[in-house]
Amino acid sequence: TESDAMTTFPFYPPDRAHEYERYAAEYVFEQNEATPWTLLRRPLRECRAALVVSAGLRLKTQHSYPRGGSAEYREISTYVGPDQLAFDFTNFDPREAEADLNVIAPVDRLKEAVEQGLLGGVHETFFSFFGLCPDRVALAASAAEVAAKLRSAEVDVVLLVPANHVCNQTLGLVARALERGGLSTVALSTIKEVTRQIRVPRALFINFPFGRTLGRAHAAALHHSILGDMLRALKT
């Protein structure tokens, strides 16, 4: 079936597509812990939502992420202007995100979902992790810290968006930690093989070029459609 097929990357030149397909085929992750699961506690129209991304975003006034991978995160206002942001994790083409942050951090689309009555509210900040993080212990600690902050802010649900191929592991582990912390999550996945092995609690596969996970800049209707699928998945 299509869901069992290998992840392919037909929108890239053959050599680059083969590199990513080999990564997906050779990826191995031994997940021995039971999948944490937090049921949706109330109707979505009453839920306060938050966003977590793995694009290595930060304010230009914040410290740069360490090179070579990091478990650190940055907290950023949902009202930030694109001219205030820096992209430290450059393992993807950032041009679409520089034109429209919503392709990797759909903050405007979430606020519009509140205006449409689909959500009860949106947390005033979102959290950005660095896509590459080999230190899983440190990542778990950082994710638990974020979970505590979100619970304190009375957040109910968290949407997670990766930026490139290695982001899937980082974000999958963050999603598990947030669920363990009592938050209902749904993550987008750009490589099915990674998401399955990590056993991400709720995930939707999407097959777009890295750096524009929700599609092209200013494609608001498409962004809303994807966001709607994510919100519906929270009920399952």
Side-chain angles (χ1 to χ4, degrees):
T1 66
E2 182 180 356
S3 62
D4 293 329
M6 295 290 294
T7 303
T8 59
F9 307 88
F11 33 77
Y12 285 131
D15 57 341
R16 191 175 177 192
H18 178 68
E19 175 188 346
Y20 291 136
E21 288 164 6
R22 184 173 60 191
Y23 173 86
E26 296 177 355
Y27 180 83
V28 176
F29 190 99
E30 293 187 10
Q31 181 59 263
N32 299 316
E33 298 177 358
T35 300
W37 188 265
T38 297
L39 291 174
L40 200 61
R41 290 186 289 265
R42 65 191 81 185
L44 278 173
R45 65 180 180 275
E46 300 174 10
C47 285
R48 184 173 172 82
L51 179 68
V52 172
V53 304
S54 55
L57 294 174
R58 64 173 174 87
L59 295 172
K60 291 178 179 177
T61 55
Q62 293 173 325
H63 290 299
S64 300
Y65 291 90
R67 294 184 178 181
S70 173
E72 296 179 9
Y73 63 86
R74 302 288 183 265
E75 195 168 354
I76 302 169
S77 169
T78 58
Y79 295 92
V80 68
D83 58 328
Q84 299 173 266
L85 289 172
F87 291 75
D88 281 358
F89 184 50
T90 56
N91 203 358
F92 61 90
D93 185 345
R95 287 177 294 180
E96 294 281 332
E98 289 171 341
D100 180 10
L101 184 61
N102 291 284
V103 303
I104 55 171
V107 289
D108 294 326
R109 305 292 88 89
L110 279 172
K111 287 181 280 189
E112 290 160 1
V114 174
E115 294 171 359
Q116 296 166 3
L118 301 177
L119 288 169
V122 175
H123 190 44
E124 58 269 15
T125 62
F126 70 95
F127 294 83
S128 178
F129 284 83
F130 195 79
L132 177 64
C133 180
D135 190 340
R136 290 163 52 187
V137 174
L139 180 63
S142 289
E145 190 175 299
V146 170
K149 288 187 174 186
L150 293 176
R151 286 198 315 271
S152 178
E154 299 184 340
V155 167
D156 303 288
V157 300
V158 184
L159 286 73
L160 300 98
V161 180
N164 87 330
H165 62 304
V166 299
C167 287
N168 290 276
Q169 174 173 304
T170 298
L171 213 59
L173 294 173
V174 170
R176 290 176 61 93
L178 296 179
E179 291 269 354
R180 196 177 297 115
L183 297 155
S184 300
T185 70
V186 58
L188 290 179
S189 166
T190 57
I191 297 186
K192 292 178 285 188
E193 291 80 354
V194 175
T195 302
R196 285 174 178 153
Q197 292 187 54
I198 291 178
R199 299 178 189 171
V200 179
R202 298 179 194 81
L204 299 175
F205 173 66
I206 195 160
N207 197 210
F208 287 150
F210 301 130
R212 51 181 174 99
T213 312
L214 277 82
R216 288 195 176 277
H218 310 301
L222 176 60
H223 303 166
H224 276 298
S225 178
I226 295 167
L227 183 62
D229 286 342
M230 296 179 77
L231 294 178
R232 282 187 287 275
L234 282 164
K235 303 176 183 179
T236 64

